[in-house]
């Protein structure tokens, strides 16, 4: 069997080394993993302290805390509730106060607009500290980002050695979208974690069927499905992994019998896990409703998408491939190219590939990538997050083999590309959400490439508040893309057209008209407005750009 696709790395002993064979600290992979996680996690946590709440996370945090307080989890029926359980826990334990819902009927509470209204009251009516509530709610997201890198390390190290594992952890930990959305209390990073781990558990059951492994896999699948509906991709992925193993064991009847029993146990475990997640609903009515709603939204309902200066309500079939180039570093692309060249040069047979542990990330990436290409919902590269760690693992294994092979001239390029894919995304600190790669038009003009959650998700209000204080600006004209209340962060403004209508903010008598107009990058593109109302501002040079996503124009005569 070819070492390129099989378990070729030696397992490193866990027993203590003798005094004469003590290795230097940099030879200990777990210590290096901790260093990787410390740098990545530190960047995520420090960055999230400097960003205002993004578009949808206020609902996850407020709705989750409300659920613990009232026992009612009906505020976000379209999404599975695991992330509400997770993100609402710390604010609830910290003693959050809750808006008065007296007189609100069940029908009113189920309306989509009500969730934002409730969350806005929760955060910005002066009862709770919005920055504290956001920080507490976001902490589990940062933990999920670190666990995602750790899972990539564990899987890769187990099959391909510590060097490949550390490279996989590095690639995942410093993905720009992991740095960005690891600081956002939403379901994109958690579902990437759940999807990867569940794929790994499914493959273990397929290779070595047993009841214990099956129950573990079912539990992992149930949790992933309870995080986000896109985890339904696990179903076709499991079928493909089963087909691959069946092709290798055509005459193994004993394996088939054990697999049949294991499959039943896994399905039962997944079902019971979902029942538990949905608080004892054996019919899973809420889950089925949410799954149908999201499927319709993704495949049938037109939603404006923006890419490279163009707006389309039907989506762009090439959105995610193009977004991959602009939302991951050139260093990552160099390493991915090396890995693909290496695997291409070592390919011998299909059976070789089917036996490989890399079939887990390969199948997972193939299935999820296919679903992405069929989606009409092109409002953010974050939807591709479950795909990225899988690609990172494949890349890490290929590059590790290149390093160990006779391609010694490639080693300086590998070292430089690895350093670059760490440093270049970190250079965006703390504005990771606006990341666009080296191929972009320039950081302050990234709106020419992306809008919405790939660039501007409402995260820059703290920067605007500090800017106004530093420059003694009493009030601005504001067009804001987000769900936060700017006045809740101490920002005085006169409202312009925005995605959500901004609450009135009264101007004091005799106060002059504001000198500055502040426009969110998404609004500047005109994606969600008729008539492109801010086109003439795009043709002007802004006086300031805050966080590469808020554009400040001086309109004083």
């Amino acid at each position: 069997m070819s070492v390129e696709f099989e378990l070729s790395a030696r397992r490193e002993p866990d027993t203590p080394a003798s005094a004469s064979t003590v290795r230097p600290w940099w030879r200990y992979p777990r210590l290096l993993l901790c260093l990787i996680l410390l740098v990545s996690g530190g960047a995520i946590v420090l960055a999230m302290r400097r960003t205002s709440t993004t578009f949808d996370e206020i609902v996850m945090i407020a709705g989750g805390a409300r659920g613990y307080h009232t026992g009612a989890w009906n505020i976000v029926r379209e999404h599975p509730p695991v992330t509400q359980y997770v993100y609402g826990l710390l604010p609830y334990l910290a003693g959050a106060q809750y808006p008065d819902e007296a007189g609100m009927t069940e029908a009113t509470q189920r309306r989509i607009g009500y969730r934002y209204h409730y969350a806005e009251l929760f955060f910005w009516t002066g009862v709770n500290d919005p920055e504290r509530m956001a920080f507490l709610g976001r902490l589990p997201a940062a933990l999920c980002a670190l666990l995602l890198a750790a899972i990539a390390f564990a899987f890769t190290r187990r099959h391909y050695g510590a060097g490949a594992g550390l490279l996989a952890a590095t690639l995942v930990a410093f993905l720009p979208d992991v740095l960005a959305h690891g600081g956002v209390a939403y379901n994109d990073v958690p579902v990437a974690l759940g999807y990867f781990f569940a794929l790994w558990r499914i493959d273990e059951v397929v290779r070595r069927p047993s009841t214990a492994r099956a129950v573990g896999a079912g539990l992992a699948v149930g949790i992933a499905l309870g995080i986000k509906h896109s985890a339904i991709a696990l179903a076709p992925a499991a079928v493909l992994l089963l087909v691959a193993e069946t092709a290798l064991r055509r005459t193994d009847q004993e394996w088939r019998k054990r697999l049949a029993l294991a499959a039943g146990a896994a399905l039962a475990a997944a079902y019971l896990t979902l029942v538990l997640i949905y608080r004892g609903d054996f019919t899973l009515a809420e889950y089925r409703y949410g799954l149908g709603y999201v499927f319709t939204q993704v495949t049938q309902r037109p939603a404006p998408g923006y890419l490279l200066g163009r707006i389309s309500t039907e989506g762009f079939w090439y959105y995610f491939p193009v977004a991959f180039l602009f939302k991951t570093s050139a260093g990552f692309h160099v390493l991915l190219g090396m890995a693909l060249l290496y695997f291409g040069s070592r390919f011998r047979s299909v059976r070789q590939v089917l036996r490989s542990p890399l079939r887990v990330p390969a199948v997972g990436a193939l299935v999820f990538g296919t679903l992405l290409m069929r989606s009409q919902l092109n409002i953010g590269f974050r939807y591709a997050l479950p795909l990225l760690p899988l690609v990172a693992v494949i890349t890490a294994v290929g590059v590790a083999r290149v390093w160990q092979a006779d391609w010694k001239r490639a080693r300086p390029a590998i070292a430089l590309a690895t350093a670059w894919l760490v440093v270049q995304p970190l250079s965006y600190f703390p504005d990771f959400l606006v990341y666009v790669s080296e191929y972009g038009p320039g950081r302050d003009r990234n709106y020419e490439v992306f809008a919405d959650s790939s660039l501007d998700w409402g995260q820059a209000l703290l920067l605007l508040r500090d800017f106004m204080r530093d420059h003694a600006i009493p009030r601005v004209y504001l067009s804001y893309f987000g769900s936060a209340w700017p006045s809740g962060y101490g920002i005085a403004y006169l409202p312009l057209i925005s995605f959500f209508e901004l609450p009135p903010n009264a101007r004091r008598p005799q106060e002059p008209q504001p000198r500055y107009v502040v426009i969110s990058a998404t609004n500047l593109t005109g994606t969600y407005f008729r008539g492109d109302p801010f086109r003439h501002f795009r043709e002007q040079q802004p006086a300031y750009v805050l966080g590469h996503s808020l554009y400040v124009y001086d309109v004083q005569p």
Side-chain angles (χ1 to χ4, degrees), residues 45-211:
V45 172
L46 291 175
M48 75 188 192
R49 293 299 301 268
R50 298 173 64 176
T51 56
S52 54
T53 54
T54 57
F55 209 101
D56 293 319
E57 67 176 327
I58 63 170
V59 175
M60 291 294 177
I61 297 172
R66 171 185 180 267
Y68 287 112
H69 178 65
T70 65
W73 300 91
N74 60 344
I75 202 166
V76 192
R77 297 176 62 227
E78 291 77 24
H79 291 288
V82 165
T83 45
Q84 292 181 66
Y85 299 154
V86 171
Y87 295 139
L89 180 59
L90 291 180
Y92 168 74
L93 294 177
Q97 301 298 311
Y98 304 92
D100 183 9
E101 296 185 87
M104 296 294 178
T105 65
E106 179 73 13
T108 299
Q109 294 176 6
R110 286 176 176 267
R111 293 175 183 169
I112 290 179
Y114 181 76
R115 67 190 62 173
Y116 290 102
H117 175 69
Y118 180 89
E120 288 163 352
L121 295 177
F122 177 88
F123 274 93
W124 294 293
T125 53
V127 177
N128 297 313
D129 180 348
E131 293 178 59
R132 180 169 177 261
M133 290 294 107
F135 178 73
L136 291 174
R138 288 169 167 177
L139 281 175
L143 177 61
C144 286
L146 300 185
L147 288 175
L148 182 60
I151 287 293
F153 169 80
F155 174 88
T156 312
R157 185 194 182 199
R158 176 179 180 181
H159 297 299
Y160 295 100
L166 288 171
L167 181 56
T170 301
L171 292 175
V172 172
F174 295 99
L175 282 166
D177 270 59
V178 170
L179 293 171
H181 293 278
V184 174
Y186 206 51
N187 50 24
D188 297 297
V189 171
V191 77
L193 172 64
Y195 185 66
F196 192 163
F197 186 70
L199 281 171
W200 187 5
R201 295 299 90 202
I202 290 169
D203 191 63
E204 288 291 312
V205 173
V206 169
R207 291 179 187 271
R208 298 180 296 162
S210 73
T211 302

Side-chain angles (χ1 to χ4, degrees), residues 512-537:
Q513 293 290 330
R515 173 177 177 175
Y516 294 101
V517 170
V518 180
I519 307 172
S520 292
T522 299
N523 292 351
L524 192 64
T525 66
T527 300
Y528 294 104
F529 302 136
R530 292 181 179 180
D532 197 3
F534 299 116
R535 182 183 62 180
H536 61 288
F537 282 101

Side-chain angles (χ1 to χ4, degrees), residues 46-47 49-52 131 430-431 459-474 476 486 489-492 518 544-547 550 552:
L46 291 175
R49 293 299 301 268
R50 298 173 64 176
T51 56
S52 54
E131 293 178 59
D431 306 310
Q459 73 273 10
L461 286 182
L462 297 184
L463 294 177
L464 177 58
R465 180 190 65 189
D466 295 342
F467 167 78
M468 292 175 66
R469 289 175 180 176
D470 293 342
H471 291 77
I473 300 172
V476 296
Y489 290 112
I491 297 169
V518 180
Y544 305 92
V545 181
L546 308 179
L550 280 181
V552 183

Side-chain angles (χ1 to χ4, degrees), residues 216-430:
L219 180 63
V221 169
I223 293 174
L225 294 174
I227 294 172
K228 192 173 183 180
H229 291 303
S230 58
I232 199 70
L234 288 168
V239 170
L240 289 181
L241 290 172
L242 180 60
V243 169
E245 191 68 17
T246 302
L248 299 172
R249 297 178 181 247
R250 295 176 182 174
T251 59
D252 192 339
Q253 297 299 323
E254 180 62 27
W255 171 79
R256 292 173 186 268
K257 293 178 182 178
R258 289 187 289 117
L259 183 65
L261 294 174
L267 290 172
Y271 167 72
L272 292 175
T273 301
L274 273 178
V275 169
L276 182 63
I277 288 171
Y278 280 93
R279 306 171 300 281
D281 178 11
F282 283 91
T283 66
L284 295 180
E286 188 176 333
Y287 175 76
R288 290 184 285 110
Y289 164 79
L291 189 63
Y293 178 92
V294 170
F295 179 80
T296 301
Q297 182 186 42
V298 170
T299 60
Q300 298 179 23
R301 293 180 182 173
Y306 179 88
L307 182 65
L308 297 174
R310 294 185 56 205
I311 300 172
S312 172
T313 58
E314 298 178 356
F316 305 92
W317 68 266
Y318 51 85
Y319 180 89
F320 288 101
V322 170
F324 176 81
L325 292 176
F326 283 104
K327 295 297 285 185
T328 50
S329 170
F332 190 101
H333 305 158
V334 169
L335 297 186
L336 176 59
M338 285 187 182
L340 294 178
L341 286 174
Y342 182 80
F343 286 132
S345 68
R346 294 299 193 272
F347 178 80
R348 295 293 180 271
S349 68
V350 173
R351 290 180 65 84
Q352 181 189 58
V353 176
L354 295 181
R355 260 189 219 102
S356 168
L358 282 183
R359 77 184 189 188
V360 174
V363 166
L366 175 64
V367 170
F368 208 89
T370 301
L371 295 179
L372 283 176
M373 296 291 286
R374 293 180 59 83
S375 172
Q376 295 182 6
L377 194 61
N378 297 159
I379 61 175
F381 187 61
R382 61 189 174 88
Y383 288 98
L385 259 169
L387 178 71
L388 299 183
L390 307 176
V391 176
V393 166
I394 295 170
T395 300
V397 173
V399 170
R401 291 297 177 261
V402 170
W403 185 276
Q404 296 167 359
D406 295 331
W407 300 16
K408 293 184 178 180
R409 292 183 179 180
R411 288 188 176 184
I414 292 173
L416 181 61
T418 303
W420 185 250
L421 67 85
V422 172
V423 172
Q424 206 265 341
L426 287 178
S427 71
Y428 267 82
F429 176 88

